Amino acid sequence: MAERSYTSREELDQYGFHPGVTVMAPMVCILLQAMLPRTLPWLLHLDLPLIATIFFAVSRRSPIAGAVTGTLIGLFQDGLTNHPFGVDGIAKGIIGYVAASLGFAVDIDNVINRVALVFTLSLFQSGLLYLIAHWLLGQASYRLLPVQELISAAANSVVAIPVFYVLDRFRIRD
Amino acid sequence: MESFFARFKNPLALIAIVLLQVIALAMQVQRPAKDADALSPSGAAESEEAAPDGHNVSLLRRWTVTAITPLETALQSSSARVRGAWDDYVDLRHTRQQNAALKDEVARLREEEASFAADAAQGRRLQKLLAFREQYALTNVAAEVIGTSGSDRSHVLYLNKGSDDGLKPDQPVITPDGVVGKIRDVFPHTSQLLLINDPSSGAGVVLATTRIRCILRGTETGQVQINDLTPDSRIKVGEPVITSGGDLVFPRGLPVGTVQSIALDPLHQPYTAITVKPAVDLNRLEEVLVITATSSTLPAAAAQDAAAAEATAQANQRAADLVAEKLPSLQPAVTPANGAGTAPVAGASGAKAAAGSPTATAPPPDDPESQVGGLPGIPNSGLPRSKPALHPDRFSPGAAPPAADMTPGAVAQSQNPVPSHNPAQDQNPPAQTGAGQQPDQQPDQQP
């Protein structure tokens, strides 16, 4: 008996990106993330690099590529904070891996799926950061702030829709 | 075996990536702990994240910052130009009124400055007596905020000045409103500013009213808290918080903020969580001052101002003393302990005179009886009536008895009675006019 997949042929399509887009898109996200909160402090609750990580991971549908992309973006983010290198690197590496794995199972071109994916992975990243701070760094004072995390996740989901729409324009079918 | 790797290629790659970073994390966490004491003079008050990185990590961070900050600087300067053009040429509403108001304020501030300089000089003299040493900001560098960390868990800003401008780690950063934070890491043209509301930040502070010393820390939510004090009813909401200088980073006396709320800390019983509202809006910083050098003496310009103000104050005091010596009757009057009246005095002898003489009951200056002329019904419109002399002699009016009462050949009195200026005062016996006042009591000043 032939095995049946829950994903269609179209859903399994892998996309590639121009090297310039691969480098510049995350860079622009990190730059905006660093600059915009200067004038609009509430934008600190957004995580544009996370949205870029998820987008590239689900578009490429390669867990290793997703993990590497997430790790590089996360390490770059760590460089701008006062955290040790690796805090965001580990979190975003795992997010990239999970997002790419989920990309096999769901139709990521659907807006609702995208919103749900970003919302879930935002909360997942908060949990990962909490575990890293508690277990690896021994920061007992690090606390999860549920309301704040939910607001951040919701904001990321809303902002992800136009960002995904813009980045879709740069996709190249492999 | 080959099939195992082929089958679990993806999870194995992820494990490898995560494991590498965990090892890197472990190395970074250990490194600052070794060097923290040597690098950070305030090491006890701060956690490892506040300490500068090790050499290799610093290199990585430098690459990252070098990649991002030129773009930030370019965007910042272009946006500043656009904003400047708008502000300078388009948005000029209310400029004239603002200019007039600012001129008035400058004049008022200049007067206040002279007064404060005299007070500061007195404070320094007193501090010298108490063997205190205060750190004054000697030189500072103005810097512009060009970016943030981009994370709500890391309260870090990037400045457009670096080691080429004389910045070094652990230098305090302030604005005219108060303390902002300190320099954490320095690159050639950029530096990383750790805000006081970062969880890894710490500062030695003192509560201005109660003089309680404590440590200020940031929280995960971006608040600033004092959580090393037990409940104390003397601490009130609104109490100013200033730097204590005990952390050897911030000079003493810089405003930090005010106490916003006091509550029991649920995580650290029995300590309280005193939330401090920063004097500076940490979310809206644009320009800051980095204190690059401090001194126990004032800068030359400030010292000149202070000396000039002190000389003026002394000259005024001398002039007042001369007037007081030449016009003893205009010296301040004393209010006796029983409040029955006032009397002119000159130090201890004056007090004695007040105690033993009926002249001690002089009317207050705003009393119509004490004035000559003036408009009826309008207080203080006439000239002050002359007060009785402190040392009357035979030429003083009323000192000698009328000629009709004199007896030829009688012995002259050794002490001339000092007549009361106000007839009503004659009715007051000495016991009611400050008889109980001691010579060493300070006379109350008349308004």
Side-chain angles (χ1 to χ4, degrees):
Chain A
M1 189 177 173
E3 284 186 8
R4 296 184 62 187
S5 169
Y6 289 101
T7 51
S8 66
R9 178 63 255 167
E10 188 184 353
E11 288 166 356
L12 282 173
D13 278 346
Q14 292 190 350
Y15 293 94
F17 295 92
H18 188 275
V21 174
T22 307
V23 173
M24 286 308 294
M27 281 289 284
V28 168
C29 286
I30 291 170
L31 186 66
L32 290 176
Q33 183 71 38
M35 287 208 68
L36 291 180
R38 244 192 83 247
T39 44
L40 303 168
W42 55 270
L43 284 178
L44 270 178
H45 296 299
L46 276 183
D47 196 343
L48 292 176
L50 174 74
I51 295 171
T53 302
I54 294 170
F55 176 79
F56 282 107
V58 295
S59 297
R60 290 190 174 119
R61 292 195 172 114
S62 162
I64 293 178
V68 170
T69 306
T71 299
L72 291 177
I73 292 174
L75 287 175
F76 210 97
Q77 266 193 294
D78 284 329
L80 295 177
T81 66
N82 59 335
H83 301 151
F85 277 94
V87 174
D88 276 300
I90 293 173
K92 288 208 165 49
I94 295 172
I95 291 290
Y97 183 91
V98 174
S101 304
L102 288 173
F104 285 117
V106 294
D107 175 16
I108 54 94
D109 286 335
N110 185 305
V111 174
I112 295 173
N113 286 350
R114 285 180 171 183
V115 168
L117 191 69
V118 174
F119 186 83
T120 311
L121 290 177
S122 291
L123 292 178
F124 185 47
Q125 181 188 240
S126 300
L128 285 172
L129 289 173
Y130 175 79
L131 293 179
I132 291 166
H134 257 262
W135 287 359
L136 297 182
L137 299 177
Q139 293 177 350
S141 63
Y142 194 100
R143 281 183 293 164
L144 262 184
L145 306 164
V147 176
Q148 192 173 315
E149 305 302 350
L150 281 171
I151 292 171
S152 294
N156 283 332
S157 306
V158 172
V159 172
I161 298 170
V163 173
F164 274 39
Y165 180 77
V166 171
L167 291 175
D168 279 342
R169 308 280 147 198
F170 299 101
R171 289 196 302 189
I172 303 166
R173 191 179 294 271
D174 282 344
Chain B
M1 196 59 162
E2 191 180 342
S3 64
F4 174 81
F5 283 110
R7 186 175 178 187
F8 296 106
K9 182 179 67 174
N10 291 340
L12 286 173
L14 178 68
I15 289 168
I17 289 170
V18 171
L19 199 61
L20 276 174
Q21 292 182 83
V22 169
I23 293 168
L25 264 181
M27 289 168 67
Q28 292 170 73
V29 171
Q30 285 219 336
R31 176 61 69 88
K34 287 179 186 172
D35 304 338
D37 292 338
L39 290 170
S40 173
S42 56
E46 299 160 23
S47 67
E48 291 150 2
E49 285 183 28
D53 304 310
H55 176 68
N56 293 331
V57 180
S58 181
L59 206 60
L60 271 177
R61 212 176 287 280
R62 179 175 296 195
W63 291 343
T64 312
V65 172
T66 306
I68 205 86
T69 49
L71 298 170
E72 284 181 333
T73 309
L75 283 173
Q76 168 69 21
S77 61
S78 58
S79 68
R81 276 186 204 137
V82 171
R83 206 183 319 151
W86 173 265
D87 291 342
D88 293 346
Y89 298 105
V90 183
D91 188 18
L92 293 173
R93 289 174 302 165
H94 310 304
T95 304
R96 284 184 200 280
Q97 294 94 318
Q98 283 178 354
N99 195 31
L102 287 172
K103 278 180 179 171
D104 290 344
E105 193 171 357
V106 166
R108 185 181 59 79
L109 288 175
R110 277 184 181 151
E111 288 174 15
E112 278 186 9
E113 187 186 13
S115 167
F116 289 153
D119 290 346
Q122 185 186 23
R124 281 195 300 281
R125 284 198 302 276
L126 293 172
Q127 278 200 331
K128 205 178 283 178
L129 287 175
L130 293 169
F132 276 137
R133 285 180 70 79
E134 188 162 5
Q135 296 287 308
Y136 297 99
L138 190 63
T139 56
N140 53 53
V141 174
E144 200 174 349
V145 177
I146 56 170
T148 70
S149 68
S151 167
D152 57 350
R153 298 277 186 179
S154 173
H155 300 279
V156 163
L157 297 177
Y158 282 89
L159 306 180
N160 67 343
K161 299 283 171 66
S163 56
D164 289 354
D165 303 288
L167 269 57
K168 291 175 186 168
D170 278 336
Q171 285 176 337
V173 182
I174 61 171
T175 69
D177 294 329
V179 170
V180 171
K182 67 169 192 173
I183 299 292
R184 181 183 178 273
D185 219 342
V186 177
F187 311 102
H189 305 292
T190 318
S191 54
Q192 198 182 48
L193 161 61
L194 185 71
L195 295 174
I196 54 170
N197 63 345
D198 188 84
S200 65
S201 187
V205 295
V206 61
L207 302 178
T209 310
T210 53
R211 310 307 296 176
I212 298 172
R213 283 174 177 264
C214 41
I215 296 173
L216 191 84
R217 290 179 185 282
T219 65
E220 295 291 338
T221 53
Q223 288 182 316
V224 185
Q225 278 192 349
I226 297 166
N227 47 19
D228 61 338
L229 293 178
T230 50
D232 190 331
S233 60
R234 292 174 298 165
I235 304 171
K236 304 289 183 198
V237 172
E239 178 166 4
V241 181
I242 57 175
T243 53
S244 68
D247 52 14
L248 301 181
V249 174
F250 299 103
R252 278 183 72 214
L254 296 176
V256 175
T258 51
V259 173
Q260 190 176 30
S261 67
I262 305 165
L264 277 176
D265 191 346
L267 298 177
H268 305 99
Q269 294 287 351
Y271 294 102
T272 52
I274 299 172
T275 306
V276 175
K277 183 184 179 188
V280 182
D281 187 354
L282 299 171
N283 291 325
R284 304 238 176 232
L285 285 171
E286 292 195 357
E287 287 95 18
V288 294
L289 293 171
V290 185
I291 298 175
T292 52
T294 56
S295 167
S296 57
T297 56
L298 273 177
Q304 279 181 358
D305 291 345
E310 194 174 2
T312 309
Q314 284 179 352
N316 289 341
Q317 183 63 40
R318 274 199 299 275
D321 290 345
L322 281 172
V323 170
E325 283 173 13
K326 293 192 173 176
L327 298 170
S329 61
L330 293 180
Q331 286 202 358
V334 68
T335 301
N338 60 7
T342 57
V345 292
S349 61
K352 282 178 186 171
S357 164
T359 61
T361 54
D366 55 350
D367 188 344
E369 292 295 325
S370 66
Q371 295 182 353
V372 179
L375 298 171
I378 301 176
N380 298 327
S381 58
L383 294 171
R385 191 185 293 279
S386 64
K387 294 180 179 176
L390 282 178
H391 308 291
D393 54 17
R394 59 186 175 143
F395 300 109
S396 298
D405 298 342
M406 289 185 175
T407 306
V411 179
Q413 292 178 342
S414 58
Q415 289 183 341
N416 292 323
V418 180
S420 171
H421 185 71
N422 188 345
Q425 292 168 359
D426 293 337
Q427 298 171 2
N428 296 329
Q432 294 177 354
T433 56
Q437 176 129 5
Q438 297 299 315
D440 55 351
Q441 281 182 310
Q442 293 293 321
D444 293 338
Q445 299 285 327
Q446 286 284 347

